[in-house]
């Protein structure tokens, strides 16, 4: 399983913020919806009709994948040591 540094933007009402995490992903790294479903655990995410983001059907949040970058195996221990 490849490991990726993922940055997701979340729009929560009128507020927008970013979240950064390490995500293990076997699928296609260009599958934005699949990555966001794995990140949120929300299988109801669907592409918004009015923007290029993904809307949750279970709450009022809107998600988009800001950045994804593969992490080399030797870099993982350092990132985990510092809280990622």
């Amino acid at each position: 399983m490849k490991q990726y540094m993922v940055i997701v933007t979340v729009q929560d009402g009128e507020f927008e913020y970013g979240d950064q995490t390490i995500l293990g992903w076997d699928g296609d790294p260009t599958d934005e919806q699949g990555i966001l479903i794995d990140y949120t655990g929300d299988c109801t995410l669907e592409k918004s009709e009015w923007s290029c983001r993904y809307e949750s059907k279970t709450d009022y949040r809107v998600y988009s994948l800001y950045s994804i970058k593969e992490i080399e195996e030797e870099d993982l221990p350092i990132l985990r040591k510092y809280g990622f």
Side-chain angles (χ1 to χ4, degrees), residues 26-44:
D26 283 330
D28 179 6
T30 62
D31 178 13
E32 186 172 353
Q33 184 177 18
I35 291 168
L36 290 171
I37 287 173
D38 198 39
Y39 167 80
T40 61
D42 184 352
C43 296
T44 68

Side-chain angles (χ1 to χ4, degrees), residues 6-10 17-21 35-36 39-40 63-67:
V6 176
I7 301 174
V8 175
T9 57
V10 181
Y17 53 93
D19 185 34
Q20 185 172 331
T21 190
I35 291 168
L36 290 171
Y39 167 80
T40 61
Y63 301 90
S64 65
L65 185 62
Y66 182 79
S67 174

